[in-house]
Amino acid sequence: MDFVLSGAAACGACLFTNPLEVVKTRMQLQGELKSRGTYQVYYRNVFHAFYTIGKVDGVAGLQKGLVAGLVYQFCMNGVRLGSYAVIESSGYIHTDGRVSGAKTTLAGALAGVVGAVMGSPIYLGMVHALAAIHKEHGILGLWRGSSAAVPRVSVGSAAQLSTFSASKELVIDLQVFARDSWLVALTAGMISSVVVVLAMTPFDVVSTRLYNQPVDHLGKGQLYKGFADCFSKTLKKEGLTGLYKGLGASYFRLGPHTILSLFFWDELRKLYQQNR
């Protein structure tokens, strides 16, 4: 049930944040491997990207990939949050009754690795796309780009879940809200969202580029050999700002998604426990 509730929470968040994912991806791919000032800027900022995509592709363009997004969220975050919930319920993340920073970070990273591996094929597309990839590149082709997904999701998961657990405990200790108030999870999610975006954006940029790069007939990327190669090339060509390209869009997408998914996750788990 932990996995089902986790997947449902992630899907609920996805309904609200998918347009932000579209904007973020477009901005991260803009000017790929080109120095600043040498390429045409189609999207000046998050709001301009929203306006441009809506004008060119219509409102429906902002919800492109929604079905695939929902499937991915249910599989990846269902497994990731569900795994963490199992670890948490076993009492592993606590030391002497208090949340352990080291244990929550390790548990979050482990849950992230499992979620990333399970969700990587879904990230490439839906059934027809998966069938085509499998036919052309074999079963391992379904995990193309997972070398970026695993570090990206494990780092993000470690930052998100450790911060969320610690923040919940802190808010309760300070007695800002009642222990069972929904505002506890909401506040902890807000704190977690900032940490997640700062930790995850460079990995997100690299992951997006690895998944979107063209491949040859053997399924090998034509721009990057792997995570380290993409990271170093982006840093060399575009500087540190290249790794944080689309930071505003990243927060507008990852921030609300972190807040909503963690909030829905916490509330659904409490509701389930109350009605067992």
Side-chain angles (χ1 to χ4, degrees):
M1 199 62 194
D2 278 323
F3 295 96
V4 174
L5 294 176
S6 299
C11 287
C14 183
L15 289 173
F16 294 96
T17 61
N18 189 65
L20 303 173
E21 174 71 18
V22 172
V23 169
K24 180 204 66 146
T25 300
R26 296 277 187 95
M27 292 188 71
Q28 287 179 342
L29 293 174
Q30 181 173 246
E32 186 172 1
L33 292 184
K34 295 180 180 178
S35 302
R36 292 175 65 89
T38 63
Y39 60 90
Q40 184 174 353
V41 177
Y42 293 100
Y43 314 114
R44 294 193 296 271
N45 52 54
V46 175
F47 303 105
H48 183 252
F50 262 107
Y51 170 77
T52 303
I53 295 170
K55 182 179 179 181
V56 175
D57 299 334
V59 177
L62 291 168
Q63 280 290 13
K64 282 184 177 178
L66 177 60
V67 175
L70 290 172
V71 174
Y72 174 71
Q73 288 297 326
F74 189 85
C75 292
M76 194 280 281
N77 275 320
V79 171
R80 185 178 70 86
L81 295 177
S83 298
Y84 186 82
V86 171
I87 295 172
E88 182 183 40
S89 62
S90 69
Y92 175 79
I93 70 168
H94 293 88
T95 299
D96 298 326
R98 303 288 297 177
V99 170
S100 166
K103 288 182 177 179
T104 54
T105 300
L106 180 60
L110 179 61
V113 170
V114 177
V117 172
M118 294 295 291
S120 187
I122 306 299
Y123 196 72
L124 287 175
M126 293 300 288
V127 177
H128 65 284
L130 293 177
I133 293 168
H134 177 266
K135 182 178 180 180
E136 186 174 353
H137 304 299
I139 189 70
L140 294 180
L142 297 176
W143 274 269
R144 177 170 63 87
S146 61
S147 62
V150 169
R152 168 182 171 269
V153 178
S154 61
V155 167
S157 183
Q160 182 194 67
L161 294 173
S162 62
T163 307
F164 181 65
S165 296
S167 297
K168 274 181 62 181
E169 188 174 71
L170 177 62
V171 172
I172 291 172
D173 287 347
L174 294 175
Q175 298 182 344
V176 179
F177 308 111
R179 175 179 290 270
D180 295 328
S181 173
W182 57 271
L183 290 168
V184 172
L186 187 65
T187 303
M190 289 178 177
I191 296 171
S192 177
S193 69
V194 176
V195 178
V196 167
V197 172
L198 291 176
M200 203 169 176
T201 295
F203 294 89
D204 202 29
V205 170
V206 172
S207 178
T208 296
R209 292 184 172 188
L210 281 178
Y211 275 112
N212 282 276
Q213 71 171 325
V215 295
D216 61 21
H217 66 286
L218 296 176
K220 294 184 178 180
Q222 295 181 347
L223 296 177
Y224 316 108
K225 297 176 183 177
F227 178 85
D229 186 50
C230 182
F231 189 95
S232 62
K233 282 183 177 178
T234 300
L235 188 61
K236 182 179 179 180
K237 288 282 187 178
E238 303 172 54
L240 185 61
T241 56
L243 291 171
Y244 277 93
K245 186 169 282 185
L247 178 62
S250 290
Y251 184 79
F252 275 106
R253 185 269 169 185
L254 288 173
H257 190 273
T258 293
I259 295 167
L260 290 173
S261 60
L262 292 177
F263 172 67
F264 291 154
W265 180 54
D266 198 71
E267 290 300 304
L268 284 173
R269 292 172 69 200
K270 283 197 300 187
L271 187 63
Y272 175 71
Q273 291 296 328
Q274 291 170 1
N275 290 280
R276 287 185 64 178

